[in-house]
Amino acid sequence: MTTTPPPTTTNSKTPPARSVLRDTAFLRLWAGTTASGLATWALPFVLGLAVLHRDLGAAGLGLVLAARTAGFLVAVAVGGVLADRHSRRAVVLWSALAAAVAAPLLAAGLGRSLVLMTAAAALAGAGQGACRPAFQALTAETVAPDRRQQANAAMTMAVRGSTLAGPALTALLAAFLDIGTLLLGIGLLWLIAALVPAKGTTTAAADPTTTADPTTAAAPATDPAPRAGFRAEFLEGIREARRHPWFLAGLAALVAVIALGYSATSVALPLISRDRYDTQWVLAAAMTAYTVGALAGALVIARWRPRSQGWAAFAGLAAYGVAPLSLMLPVHPLVVVAAYAVAGIGIELFNVPWFTATQREVAPDKLARVSSLDFLVSYGLAPLGLALMAPAIDAFGVTTVLGACAAACFLVPAAAALVPTARHFARPAPTTTD
Protein backbone atom coordinates (compact mmCIF):
# COMPACT_ATOMS: atom_id res chain seq x y z
CA MET A 1 0.00 0.00 0.00
CA THR A 2 1.38 3.39 -0.99
CA THR A 3 1.41 5.98 1.75
CA THR A 4 2.74 9.46 2.02
CA PRO A 5 4.87 10.93 4.76
CA PRO A 6 3.16 13.36 7.12
CA PRO A 7 3.46 17.04 6.29
CA THR A 8 6.52 18.64 7.73
CA THR A 9 5.81 20.66 10.86
CA THR A 10 8.09 22.37 13.29
CA ASN A 11 7.92 21.70 16.99
CA SER A 12 7.10 24.82 18.94
CA LYS A 13 7.79 25.44 22.60
CA THR A 14 5.22 28.21 22.78
CA PRO A 15 2.24 27.57 25.07
CA PRO A 16 -1.03 26.42 23.50
CA ALA A 17 -3.05 29.16 21.86
CA ARG A 18 -6.02 30.50 23.78
CA SER A 19 -9.43 29.08 23.04
CA VAL A 20 -11.03 30.22 19.83
CA LEU A 21 -14.19 30.89 21.85
CA ARG A 22 -12.42 33.91 23.38
CA ASP A 23 -11.87 35.48 19.95
CA THR A 24 -14.46 38.21 19.31
CA ALA A 25 -14.07 38.05 15.54
CA PHE A 26 -14.67 34.31 15.53
CA LEU A 27 -17.64 34.60 17.88
CA ARG A 28 -19.24 37.08 15.47
CA LEU A 29 -18.60 34.71 12.57
CA TRP A 30 -19.93 31.81 14.65
CA ALA A 31 -23.10 33.74 15.46
CA GLY A 32 -23.66 34.58 11.79
CA THR A 33 -23.05 31.02 10.66
CA THR A 34 -25.32 29.66 13.39
CA ALA A 35 -28.10 32.06 12.41
CA SER A 36 -27.81 31.04 8.76
CA GLY A 37 -27.83 27.35 9.67
CA LEU A 38 -30.88 27.74 11.90
CA ALA A 39 -32.70 29.69 9.16
CA THR A 40 -31.79 27.03 6.59
CA TRP A 41 -33.12 24.26 8.82
CA ALA A 42 -36.25 26.17 9.89
CA LEU A 43 -37.65 26.94 6.43
CA PRO A 44 -38.75 23.41 5.42
CA PHE A 45 -40.06 22.80 8.95
CA VAL A 46 -42.18 25.97 8.91
CA LEU A 47 -43.43 25.20 5.42
CA GLY A 48 -44.41 21.75 6.69
CA LEU A 49 -46.45 23.48 9.39
CA ALA A 50 -48.10 25.50 6.62
CA VAL A 51 -49.25 22.23 5.05
CA LEU A 52 -50.72 21.12 8.38
CA HIS A 53 -52.56 24.45 8.62
CA ARG A 54 -53.79 24.01 5.03
CA ASP A 55 -52.09 27.22 3.88
CA LEU A 56 -50.03 25.18 1.41
CA GLY A 57 -50.73 21.90 -0.37
CA ALA A 58 -48.42 18.89 -0.44
CA ALA A 59 -47.70 19.39 -4.16
CA GLY A 60 -47.00 23.06 -3.53
CA LEU A 61 -44.60 22.16 -0.72
CA GLY A 62 -42.68 19.86 -3.05
CA LEU A 63 -42.47 22.57 -5.72
CA VAL A 64 -41.30 25.22 -3.26
CA LEU A 65 -38.62 22.97 -1.73
CA ALA A 66 -37.45 21.87 -5.19
CA ALA A 67 -37.10 25.54 -6.19
CA ARG A 68 -35.04 26.20 -3.08
CA THR A 69 -32.74 23.27 -3.89
CA ALA A 70 -32.34 24.44 -7.49
CA GLY A 71 -31.48 27.96 -6.33
CA PHE A 72 -28.93 26.55 -3.91
CA LEU A 73 -27.17 24.39 -6.49
CA VAL A 74 -26.88 27.22 -9.01
CA ALA A 75 -25.75 29.80 -6.48
CA VAL A 76 -23.21 27.65 -4.64
CA ALA A 77 -21.04 27.50 -7.77
CA VAL A 78 -21.50 31.20 -8.47
CA GLY A 79 -20.85 32.07 -4.84
CA GLY A 80 -17.56 30.20 -4.83
CA VAL A 81 -16.26 32.23 -7.75
CA LEU A 82 -17.54 35.51 -6.31
CA ALA A 83 -16.03 34.81 -2.89
CA ASP A 84 -12.60 34.27 -4.48
CA ARG A 85 -13.03 37.26 -6.78
CA HIS A 86 -14.33 39.75 -4.21
CA SER A 87 -14.44 40.23 -0.45
CA ARG A 88 -15.74 37.10 1.30
CA ARG A 89 -17.44 39.35 3.86
CA ALA A 90 -19.29 41.19 1.09
CA VAL A 91 -20.47 37.93 -0.47
CA VAL A 92 -21.82 36.79 2.92
CA LEU A 93 -23.56 40.16 3.36
CA TRP A 94 -25.34 40.27 0.00
CA SER A 95 -26.22 36.58 -0.19
CA ALA A 96 -27.67 36.57 3.33
CA LEU A 97 -29.59 39.77 2.55
CA ALA A 98 -31.06 38.06 -0.52
CA ALA A 99 -32.25 35.18 1.66
CA ALA A 100 -33.64 37.70 4.17
CA VAL A 101 -35.64 39.43 1.43
CA ALA A 102 -37.06 36.07 0.35
CA ALA A 103 -38.70 35.51 3.76
CA PRO A 104 -41.35 38.28 3.56
CA LEU A 105 -42.00 37.31 -0.07
CA LEU A 106 -42.74 33.76 1.08
CA ALA A 107 -45.06 35.15 3.75
CA ALA A 108 -46.81 37.36 1.19
CA GLY A 109 -47.37 34.45 -1.18
CA LEU A 110 -48.55 32.01 1.50
CA GLY A 111 -52.10 30.97 0.66
CA ARG A 112 -52.24 33.50 -2.17
CA SER A 113 -49.66 32.85 -4.88
CA LEU A 114 -47.72 29.64 -5.35
CA VAL A 115 -45.75 31.32 -8.15
CA LEU A 116 -44.52 34.03 -5.76
CA MET A 117 -43.62 31.43 -3.14
CA THR A 118 -41.70 29.36 -5.69
CA ALA A 119 -39.71 32.37 -6.87
CA ALA A 120 -39.03 33.45 -3.27
CA ALA A 121 -37.88 29.92 -2.36
CA ALA A 122 -35.45 29.95 -5.28
CA LEU A 123 -34.11 33.29 -4.01
CA ALA A 124 -33.78 31.89 -0.49
CA GLY A 125 -31.90 28.86 -1.81
CA ALA A 126 -29.63 31.11 -3.87
CA GLY A 127 -28.77 33.18 -0.80
CA GLN A 128 -28.09 30.04 1.19
CA GLY A 129 -25.93 28.53 -1.54
CA ALA A 130 -23.89 31.65 -2.23
CA CYS A 131 -22.97 32.18 1.41
CA ARG A 132 -21.83 28.59 2.13
CA PRO A 133 -18.41 28.70 0.40
CA ALA A 134 -17.93 32.31 1.51
CA PHE A 135 -18.42 31.33 5.16
CA GLN A 136 -15.90 28.50 4.74
CA ALA A 137 -13.30 30.82 3.26
CA LEU A 138 -14.07 33.55 5.82
CA THR A 139 -13.32 31.07 8.60
CA ALA A 140 -9.82 30.60 7.19
CA GLU A 141 -9.39 34.39 7.08
CA THR A 142 -10.67 34.95 10.61
CA VAL A 143 -9.11 32.07 12.57
CA ALA A 144 -5.41 31.32 12.92
CA PRO A 145 -4.33 27.96 11.44
CA ASP A 146 -3.63 26.29 14.79
CA ARG A 147 -7.19 26.96 15.99
CA ARG A 148 -9.20 26.11 12.87
CA GLN A 149 -10.04 22.56 13.88
CA GLN A 150 -11.47 23.87 17.15
CA ALA A 151 -13.33 26.57 15.22
CA ASN A 152 -14.82 24.10 12.73
CA ALA A 153 -15.90 21.88 15.61
CA ALA A 154 -17.63 24.84 17.26
CA MET A 155 -19.40 25.60 13.97
CA THR A 156 -20.71 22.08 13.55
CA MET A 157 -21.78 21.90 17.19
CA ALA A 158 -23.90 25.00 16.65
CA VAL A 159 -25.55 23.44 13.60
CA ARG A 160 -26.22 20.12 15.38
CA GLY A 161 -27.48 21.92 18.45
CA SER A 162 -29.93 23.88 16.31
CA THR A 163 -31.14 20.65 14.73
CA LEU A 164 -31.67 19.12 18.16
CA ALA A 165 -33.42 22.06 19.84
CA GLY A 166 -35.00 23.66 16.78
CA PRO A 167 -38.09 21.43 16.38
CA ALA A 168 -39.21 21.94 19.97
CA LEU A 169 -38.56 25.69 19.82
CA THR A 170 -40.38 26.10 16.51
CA ALA A 171 -43.33 24.02 17.68
CA LEU A 172 -43.50 26.18 20.82
CA LEU A 173 -43.44 29.40 18.80
CA ALA A 174 -46.08 28.02 16.42
CA ALA A 175 -48.46 27.79 19.36
CA PHE A 176 -48.36 31.58 19.69
CA LEU A 177 -47.40 32.86 16.22
CA ASP A 178 -48.87 32.30 12.77
CA ILE A 179 -46.90 30.87 9.85
CA GLY A 180 -46.34 34.27 8.24
CA THR A 181 -44.73 35.59 11.41
CA LEU A 182 -42.51 32.52 11.65
CA LEU A 183 -41.36 33.14 8.08
CA LEU A 184 -40.52 36.72 8.99
CA GLY A 185 -38.51 35.33 11.91
CA ILE A 186 -36.48 33.30 9.42
CA GLY A 187 -35.80 36.55 7.57
CA LEU A 188 -34.56 38.06 10.84
CA LEU A 189 -32.13 35.18 11.28
CA TRP A 190 -30.75 35.86 7.79
CA LEU A 191 -30.33 39.54 8.72
CA ILE A 192 -28.22 38.44 11.69
CA ALA A 193 -26.16 36.24 9.36
CA ALA A 194 -25.67 39.20 7.04
CA LEU A 195 -24.78 41.89 9.55
CA VAL A 196 -23.05 40.26 12.53
CA PRO A 197 -19.84 38.65 11.09
CA ALA A 198 -16.74 40.83 11.02
CA LYS A 199 -14.34 41.20 8.13
CA GLY A 200 -11.66 38.55 7.82
CA THR A 201 -8.00 39.34 8.42
CA THR A 202 -5.30 38.60 5.90
CA THR A 203 -2.90 37.44 8.63
CA ALA A 204 -5.16 34.56 9.66
CA ALA A 205 -5.37 33.34 6.08
CA ALA A 206 -1.63 32.91 5.78
CA ASP A 207 -0.90 29.39 6.96
CA PRO A 208 2.81 28.66 7.22
CA THR A 209 2.20 24.91 7.10
CA THR A 210 0.13 24.90 3.93
CA THR A 211 1.39 22.81 1.05
CA ALA A 212 -0.39 24.86 -1.58
CA ASP A 213 1.62 25.38 -4.74
CA PRO A 214 3.65 28.57 -4.26
CA THR A 215 3.09 29.47 -7.89
CA THR A 216 -0.61 29.92 -7.15
CA ALA A 217 -0.06 32.40 -4.33
CA ALA A 218 -1.02 35.97 -4.91
CA ALA A 219 1.88 38.12 -6.06
CA PRO A 220 2.28 41.87 -5.47
CA ALA A 221 0.04 43.71 -7.88
CA THR A 222 2.29 45.61 -10.25
CA ASP A 223 0.47 45.29 -13.55
CA PRO A 224 -2.72 43.32 -12.92
CA ALA A 225 -3.78 41.03 -15.74
CA PRO A 226 -7.38 41.16 -16.95
CA ARG A 227 -9.64 38.92 -14.90
CA ALA A 228 -10.73 35.65 -16.49
CA GLY A 229 -14.38 34.96 -17.12
CA PHE A 230 -16.66 33.14 -14.69
CA ARG A 231 -16.37 29.79 -16.46
CA ALA A 232 -12.59 29.99 -16.57
CA GLU A 233 -12.38 30.84 -12.88
CA PHE A 234 -14.72 28.00 -11.93
CA LEU A 235 -12.62 25.57 -13.98
CA GLU A 236 -9.53 26.95 -12.25
CA GLY A 237 -11.13 25.93 -8.94
CA ILE A 238 -11.68 22.41 -10.30
CA ARG A 239 -8.03 22.24 -11.36
CA GLU A 240 -7.01 23.30 -7.86
CA ALA A 241 -9.17 20.52 -6.40
CA ARG A 242 -7.53 18.01 -8.73
CA ARG A 243 -4.12 18.94 -7.28
CA HIS A 244 -5.21 17.29 -4.03
CA PRO A 245 -5.88 13.56 -4.49
CA TRP A 246 -7.14 13.27 -0.91
CA PHE A 247 -9.83 15.85 -1.68
CA LEU A 248 -11.12 13.99 -4.72
CA ALA A 249 -11.08 10.73 -2.77
CA GLY A 250 -13.02 12.39 0.02
CA LEU A 251 -15.65 13.66 -2.43
CA ALA A 252 -16.10 10.15 -3.80
CA ALA A 253 -16.52 8.76 -0.28
CA LEU A 254 -19.01 11.51 0.59
CA VAL A 255 -21.07 10.70 -2.51
CA ALA A 256 -21.24 7.04 -1.50
CA VAL A 257 -22.27 7.78 2.07
CA ILE A 258 -24.74 10.61 1.30
CA ALA A 259 -26.29 9.51 -2.00
CA LEU A 260 -26.45 5.82 -0.99
CA GLY A 261 -26.19 5.33 2.77
CA TYR A 262 -27.99 8.44 3.97
CA SER A 263 -30.63 8.21 1.25
CA ALA A 264 -31.31 4.57 2.02
CA THR A 265 -31.73 5.15 5.74
CA SER A 266 -33.88 8.25 5.16
CA VAL A 267 -36.35 6.16 3.17
CA ALA A 268 -36.09 2.88 5.08
CA LEU A 269 -36.08 4.09 8.70
CA PRO A 270 -39.68 5.38 8.73
CA LEU A 271 -40.87 2.17 7.02
CA ILE A 272 -39.03 -0.13 9.42
CA SER A 273 -40.06 1.91 12.45
CA ARG A 274 -43.70 1.46 11.38
CA ASP A 275 -43.69 -2.09 9.99
CA ARG A 276 -41.13 -3.93 12.15
CA TYR A 277 -41.43 -2.13 15.47
CA ASP A 278 -45.00 -0.83 15.10
CA THR A 279 -44.09 2.54 16.60
CA GLN A 280 -42.80 5.93 15.52
CA TRP A 281 -40.63 6.03 18.63
CA VAL A 282 -37.76 4.27 16.87
CA LEU A 283 -37.75 6.89 14.11
CA ALA A 284 -37.65 9.81 16.54
CA ALA A 285 -35.12 8.17 18.88
CA ALA A 286 -32.75 7.19 16.06
CA MET A 287 -32.69 10.68 14.54
CA THR A 288 -32.18 12.24 17.97
CA ALA A 289 -29.37 9.78 18.71
CA TYR A 290 -27.70 10.69 15.41
CA THR A 291 -27.68 14.39 16.32
CA VAL A 292 -26.49 13.75 19.87
CA GLY A 293 -23.75 11.50 18.50
CA ALA A 294 -22.69 14.23 16.09
CA LEU A 295 -22.44 16.69 18.97
CA ALA A 296 -20.29 14.20 20.87
CA GLY A 297 -18.10 13.64 17.82
CA ALA A 298 -17.58 17.38 17.42
CA LEU A 299 -16.58 17.66 21.10
CA VAL A 300 -14.04 14.87 20.67
CA ILE A 301 -12.47 16.14 17.45
CA ALA A 302 -12.23 19.69 18.77
CA ARG A 303 -9.23 18.53 20.83
CA TRP A 304 -8.20 15.18 19.38
CA ARG A 305 -5.39 15.32 16.82
CA PRO A 306 -4.91 11.79 15.43
CA ARG A 307 -1.49 11.06 13.99
CA SER A 308 -3.03 9.93 10.69
CA GLN A 309 -5.93 12.34 10.53
CA GLY A 310 -7.08 11.31 7.04
CA TRP A 311 -7.34 7.64 7.91
CA ALA A 312 -9.14 8.47 11.15
CA ALA A 313 -11.56 10.71 9.25
CA PHE A 314 -12.34 8.08 6.62
CA ALA A 315 -12.89 5.52 9.39
CA GLY A 316 -15.38 7.91 10.95
CA LEU A 317 -17.16 8.39 7.63
CA ALA A 318 -17.32 4.62 7.09
CA ALA A 319 -18.99 4.26 10.49
CA TYR A 320 -22.20 5.51 8.90
CA GLY A 321 -22.53 2.03 7.44
CA VAL A 322 -23.67 0.70 10.81
CA ALA A 323 -26.95 2.64 10.38
CA PRO A 324 -28.23 0.77 7.30
CA LEU A 325 -26.71 -2.44 8.68
CA SER A 326 -28.79 -2.16 11.87
CA LEU A 327 -31.95 -1.70 9.80
CA MET A 328 -31.30 -4.94 7.90
CA LEU A 329 -31.42 -7.16 10.97
CA PRO A 330 -34.28 -7.98 13.37
CA VAL A 331 -32.46 -6.44 16.32
CA HIS A 332 -33.77 -4.75 19.45
CA PRO A 333 -34.74 -1.13 18.72
CA LEU A 334 -32.07 0.11 21.13
CA VAL A 335 -29.47 -1.41 18.80
CA VAL A 336 -30.81 0.76 15.97
CA VAL A 337 -30.65 3.84 18.21
CA ALA A 338 -27.08 3.00 19.24
CA ALA A 339 -26.08 2.47 15.61
CA TYR A 340 -27.36 5.93 14.71
CA ALA A 341 -25.41 7.44 17.60
CA VAL A 342 -22.24 5.78 16.28
CA ALA A 343 -23.00 7.08 12.79
CA GLY A 344 -23.41 10.60 14.17
CA ILE A 345 -20.10 10.45 16.01
CA GLY A 346 -18.34 9.19 12.92
CA ILE A 347 -19.72 11.81 10.56
CA GLU A 348 -18.23 14.65 12.61
CA LEU A 349 -14.94 12.80 13.04
CA PHE A 350 -14.81 13.19 9.26
CA ASN A 351 -16.40 16.61 8.72
CA VAL A 352 -14.26 18.70 11.05
CA PRO A 353 -10.82 17.46 9.85
CA TRP A 354 -12.12 17.59 6.26
CA PHE A 355 -13.07 21.28 6.50
CA THR A 356 -9.87 22.08 8.40
CA ALA A 357 -7.65 20.34 5.85
CA THR A 358 -9.38 22.11 2.97
CA GLN A 359 -8.75 25.47 4.64
CA ARG A 360 -5.11 24.52 5.23
CA GLU A 361 -4.14 22.82 1.99
CA VAL A 362 -6.02 24.67 -0.75
CA ALA A 363 -4.51 27.84 -2.19
CA PRO A 364 -6.16 30.72 -0.27
CA ASP A 365 -7.27 32.54 -3.43
CA LYS A 366 -9.13 29.41 -4.62
CA LEU A 367 -10.53 28.19 -1.31
CA ALA A 368 -14.11 29.36 -1.86
CA ARG A 369 -14.29 27.71 -5.29
CA VAL A 370 -13.00 24.38 -3.97
CA SER A 371 -15.43 24.61 -1.04
CA SER A 372 -18.27 25.30 -3.48
CA LEU A 373 -17.33 22.13 -5.37
CA ASP A 374 -17.60 20.21 -2.10
CA PHE A 375 -21.10 21.56 -1.41
CA LEU A 376 -22.17 21.19 -5.04
CA VAL A 377 -21.27 17.50 -5.22
CA SER A 378 -22.46 16.45 -1.76
CA TYR A 379 -25.72 18.44 -1.80
CA GLY A 380 -26.36 18.02 -5.51
CA LEU A 381 -26.35 14.23 -5.58
CA ALA A 382 -28.39 13.78 -2.39
CA PRO A 383 -31.78 14.51 -4.06
CA LEU A 384 -30.94 12.06 -6.84
CA GLY A 385 -30.19 9.33 -4.32
CA LEU A 386 -33.44 10.02 -2.47
CA ALA A 387 -35.43 9.95 -5.70
CA LEU A 388 -33.99 6.58 -6.77
CA MET A 389 -34.07 4.85 -3.40
CA ALA A 390 -37.81 4.14 -3.16
CA PRO A 391 -37.99 2.54 -6.65
CA ALA A 392 -34.89 0.47 -5.81
CA ILE A 393 -36.52 -0.78 -2.60
CA ASP A 394 -39.67 -1.68 -4.53
CA ALA A 395 -37.64 -3.54 -7.16
CA PHE A 396 -35.06 -5.38 -5.02
CA GLY A 397 -36.42 -5.29 -1.50
CA VAL A 398 -35.42 -3.21 1.47
CA THR A 399 -32.91 -5.72 2.85
CA THR A 400 -30.99 -6.00 -0.43
CA VAL A 401 -30.83 -2.23 -0.90
CA LEU A 402 -29.76 -1.61 2.69
CA GLY A 403 -27.08 -4.29 2.40
CA ALA A 404 -25.68 -2.80 -0.79
CA CYS A 405 -25.68 0.70 0.68
CA ALA A 406 -24.04 -0.46 3.90
CA ALA A 407 -21.31 -2.16 1.86
CA ALA A 408 -20.75 1.04 -0.10
CA CYS A 409 -20.46 3.04 3.14
CA PHE A 410 -17.76 0.67 4.39
CA LEU A 411 -15.85 -0.01 1.20
CA VAL A 412 -15.71 3.35 -0.60
CA PRO A 413 -14.14 5.28 2.32
CA ALA A 414 -11.73 2.37 2.81
CA ALA A 415 -10.72 2.61 -0.84
CA ALA A 416 -10.43 6.41 -0.54
CA ALA A 417 -8.05 5.97 2.39
CA LEU A 418 -5.64 4.12 0.06
CA VAL A 419 -5.27 7.12 -2.24
CA PRO A 420 -1.88 8.85 -1.99
CA THR A 421 -1.99 11.87 0.35
CA ALA A 422 -5.19 10.56 2.01
CA ARG A 423 -3.46 9.39 5.19
CA HIS A 424 -2.77 12.93 6.41
CA PHE A 425 -5.17 14.98 4.23
CA ALA A 426 -2.06 16.72 2.95
CA ARG A 427 0.38 16.66 0.09
CA PRO A 428 3.89 15.54 1.11
CA ALA A 429 6.29 18.30 1.95
CA PRO A 430 8.66 19.02 -0.98
CA THR A 431 12.12 17.55 -0.60
CA THR A 432 15.12 19.80 -0.96
CA THR A 433 18.61 18.91 -2.11
CA ASP A 434 21.77 20.60 -1.00
Side-chain angles (χ1 to χ4, degrees):
M1 179 178 63
T2 303
T3 60
T4 57
T8 302
T9 57
T10 58
N11 294 325
S12 175
K13 297 181 180 180
T14 59
R18 67 172 185 169
S19 170
V20 72
L21 299 179
R22 298 174 62 185
D23 186 330
T24 302
F26 170 73
L27 288 178
R28 292 177 62 179
L29 177 62
W30 177 87
T33 306
T34 302
S36 71
L38 187 56
T40 298
W41 169 88
L43 182 57
F45 190 88
V46 172
L47 292 176
L49 292 177
V51 173
L52 294 179
H53 292 182
R54 301 187 186 280
D55 294 320
L56 183 66
L61 175 63
L63 181 62
V64 169
L65 292 180
R68 187 181 78 143
T69 301
F72 175 91
L73 293 176
V74 172
V76 73
V78 176
V81 173
L82 292 178
D84 282 339
R85 179 181 288 187
H86 305 290
S87 162
R88 277 83 185 254
R89 179 64 188 88
V91 173
V92 167
L93 172 66
W94 291 109
S95 58
L97 285 177
V101 168
L105 294 177
L106 282 166
L110 186 66
R112 301 180 185 88
S113 173
L114 184 58
V115 173
L116 177 59
M117 290 195 70
T118 302
L123 179 62
Q128 174 195 346
C131 75
R132 286 299 99 195
F135 267 128
Q136 281 287 82
L138 196 57
T139 300
E141 290 186 2
T142 303
V143 181
D146 60 340
R147 294 189 294 169
R148 287 181 191 157
Q149 184 155 320
Q150 186 184 45
N152 287 317
M155 294 287 194
T156 196
M157 287 175 63
V159 172
R160 300 298 182 181
S162 299
T163 304
L164 188 62
L169 178 61
T170 305
L172 178 63
L173 292 175
F176 302 97
L177 304 174
D178 59 28
I179 302 301
T181 304
L182 292 175
L183 288 171
L184 293 179
I186 291 174
L188 179 60
L189 288 172
W190 278 115
L191 279 178
I192 294 173
L195 301 176
V196 169
K199 293 182 66 175
T201 60
T202 55
T203 55
D207 186 345
T209 65
T210 184
T211 58
D213 189 343
T215 62
T216 64
T222 54
D223 187 16
R227 184 175 291 279
F230 171 85
R231 180 176 178 273
E233 291 199 11
F234 183 74
L235 292 176
E236 190 178 49
I238 294 178
R239 285 193 293 271
E240 171 65 18
R242 291 175 61 186
R243 291 181 53 248
H244 306 278
W246 63 267
F247 183 84
L248 299 181
L251 280 185
L254 276 172
V255 168
V257 171
I258 294 175
L260 296 177
Y262 185 80
S263 296
T265 54
S266 296
V267 174
L269 178 60
L271 299 176
I272 290 174
S273 181
R274 180 196 66 192
D275 298 338
R276 179 186 299 167
Y277 300 108
D278 194 26
T279 177
Q280 296 302 309
W281 174 86
V282 177
L283 170 62
M287 296 309 298
T288 302
Y290 179 80
T291 302
V292 172
L295 282 168
L299 280 172
V300 169
I301 202 62
R303 295 188 176 276
W304 183 39
R305 301 295 187 272
R307 183 174 179 83
S308 300
Q309 65 168 343
W311 285 359
F314 280 125
L317 186 62
Y320 192 88
V322 301
L325 190 62
S326 71
L327 298 178
M328 291 175 56
L329 308 173
V331 295
H332 191 280
L334 289 180
V335 175
V336 176
V337 175
Y340 269 79
V342 170
I345 293 172
I347 206 72
E348 293 308 336
L349 294 183
F350 174 83
N351 279 340
V352 173
W354 170 259
F355 291 141
T356 305
T358 303
Q359 293 160 354
R360 181 188 68 240
E361 297 295 318
V362 172
D365 61 326
K366 301 177 182 65
L367 176 56
R369 279 169 283 178
V370 173
S371 296
S372 72
L373 183 63
D374 177 8
F375 290 117
L376 188 64
V377 171
S378 55
Y379 280 84
L381 292 178
L384 179 61
L386 287 169
L388 296 177
M389 203 54 61
I393 289 175
D394 290 338
F396 304 105
V398 65
T399 301
T400 301
V401 171
L402 286 171
C405 291
C409 289
F410 292 132
L411 295 177
V412 178
L418 301 179
V419 171
T421 75
R423 179 174 181 176
H424 301 285
F425 277 172
R427 301 176 71 193
T431 57
T432 57
T433 57
D434 296 330

